Amino acid sequence: MIEALDHVQLAMPSGGEDQARVFYSDLLGIPEVPKPPHLAKRGGCWFERGPLKVHLGVDMDFRPARKAHPAFRVADLAVLTKRLSEAGFSVTEDEPLAGYERCYVDDPFGNRIEMMEAL
C-alpha cells in the first residue's frame, strides 16, 4: 500500500548542477543536501526541506518535461514570481483552480514547474 510520496525526480542535462542550484536553492529556497557518495558520481543534485524533496538527475538523452510537472504550494506567490521574473524566468498564468492562485515557470532546463498559493 502506498503511504506517501517520498520525492520527485526531474531530469537535467549533464553539467547543469550550477544552474539547478541557482533555481531550486537560491530562487525557490529549497536547500541543497549532499547526495549519497555512490549516487553523487552520477551527477545531478538533491534539494530538500522537511518532507519537500526534489532530486535532479542527469539524463544523457535529456528532454524536458513539458506537460508532466511537480506542483509546489507556496506561501507568497507574488513575491516568488517577482523574484523569478527578475532573474529572467518567464512566469505564465493558467486557468483558475478553485481555492488557489497559480502559475507556471520552466526551470533552467525547460521542465515545467507549477506554483500554487491557497486563497
Side-chain angles (χ1 to χ4, degrees):
M1 178 185 302
I2 304 288
E3 295 178 351
L5 179 66
D6 183 78
H7 68 274
V8 166
Q9 176 152 331
L10 297 172
M12 63 181 237
S14 179
E17 288 83 0
D18 287 341
Q19 290 175 286
R21 289 178 181 107
V22 168
F23 185 80
Y24 289 95
S25 187
D26 297 347
L27 294 172
L28 297 187
I30 310 168
E32 183 176 8
V33 299
K35 289 180 69 172
H38 68 286
L39 297 177
K41 64 184 177 185
R42 299 179 188 174
C45 38
W46 290 5
F47 304 91
E48 300 181 359
R49 185 180 61 246
L52 175 62
K53 298 177 184 180
V54 182
H55 297 173
L56 277 283
V58 171
D59 186 341
M60 297 316 263
D61 187 31
F62 173 74
R63 286 184 294 263
R66 304 297 307 140
K67 182 70 175 172
H69 63 276
F72 299 133
R73 285 183 295 183
V74 303
D76 194 334
L77 189 60
V79 168
L80 184 54
T81 57
K82 182 176 188 249
R83 183 181 321 142
L84 288 164
S85 294
E86 289 174 351
F89 290 91
S90 178
V91 177
T92 57
E93 294 187 18
D94 198 2
E95 296 179 23
L97 182 62
Y100 293 93
E101 185 174 335
R102 68 188 185 131
C103 63
Y104 293 94
V105 65
D106 289 344
D107 76 2
F109 317 112
N111 294 311
R112 184 181 194 194
I113 306 294
E114 183 175 4
M115 297 178 297
M116 308 172 70
E117 181 177 14
L119 298 173

